[in-house]
Amino acid sequence: MEGNNVSRKISNDTKIWLKQERELLNKLIKNDDNEKKVEQYNRYVRAEDLYNKAIRLIEEIESGELDDETIKKKVEEITLLFKAIEDYIKDDKVRSNLNYNPYRDRDEEDDREI
């Protein structure tokens, strides 16, 4: 990641994952809690950090040591992480003032949501 620009690799990996999991994403986003989670990720966490977390979860799945239910939950989490990255990319211009402290510009309304 250069400055606030999302690298091409992160962007491409996000597109690939979401294309493959579009049906799951549509199901997950219907849940208000998931929608809020994506919004919070998108708003307060750098895309690079979201990507790194998604990659760690993928590596856990690939280890072959997880049961089916755990894999399902991790795939859902990865999908939400990539959705937040997708939103981050779309909203990149708004983030021009974002520095590493994600809570720097929060207002009182934001405090009530968390």
Side-chain angles (χ1 to χ4, degrees):
M1 195 165 155
E2 224 176 317
N4 288 328
N5 296 322
V6 176
S7 76
R8 219 176 238 144
K9 177 167 179 38
I10 292 173
S11 179
N12 288 337
D13 288 353
T14 298
K15 287 178 189 174
I16 290 167
W17 183 276
L18 291 178
K19 183 177 181 183
Q20 293 174 349
E21 298 295 341
R22 184 58 58 190
E23 193 173 307
L24 174 61
L25 176 61
N26 290 337
K27 178 185 168 192
L28 292 173
I29 279 307
K30 288 179 183 177
N31 179 310
D32 288 340
D33 290 339
N34 289 333
E35 191 172 351
K36 287 178 184 176
K37 188 177 204 177
V38 167
E39 188 178 306
Q40 294 296 316
Y41 280 157
N42 174 262
R43 199 168 191 180
Y44 300 118
V45 184
R46 297 181 320 147
E48 185 177 58
D49 295 337
L50 296 171
Y51 179 78
N52 290 336
K53 181 174 181 180
I55 295 303
R56 281 193 305 275
L57 292 172
I58 290 169
E59 290 170 350
E60 288 178 26
I61 291 169
E62 290 176 346
S63 74
E65 299 176 8
L66 305 174
D67 62 73
D68 290 344
E69 187 60 31
T70 303
I71 291 172
K72 178 184 175 211
K73 289 179 182 179
K74 289 188 184 286
V75 167
E76 289 174 352
E77 180 65 17
I78 294 164
T79 302
L80 295 174
L81 289 164
F82 279 123
K83 173 59 177 158
I85 293 169
E86 180 184 63
D87 290 351
Y88 187 102
I89 293 167
K90 289 177 184 175
D91 297 340
D92 197 37
K93 290 181 184 179
V94 174
R95 298 187 188 294
S96 61
N97 294 326
L98 181 69
N99 62 25
Y100 194 68
N101 180 355
Y103 300 100
R104 181 177 64 100
D105 294 328
R106 294 177 61 200
D107 60 26
E108 290 179 31
E109 183 177 330
D110 291 337
D111 291 334
R112 286 182 293 220
E113 292 178 23
I114 296 179

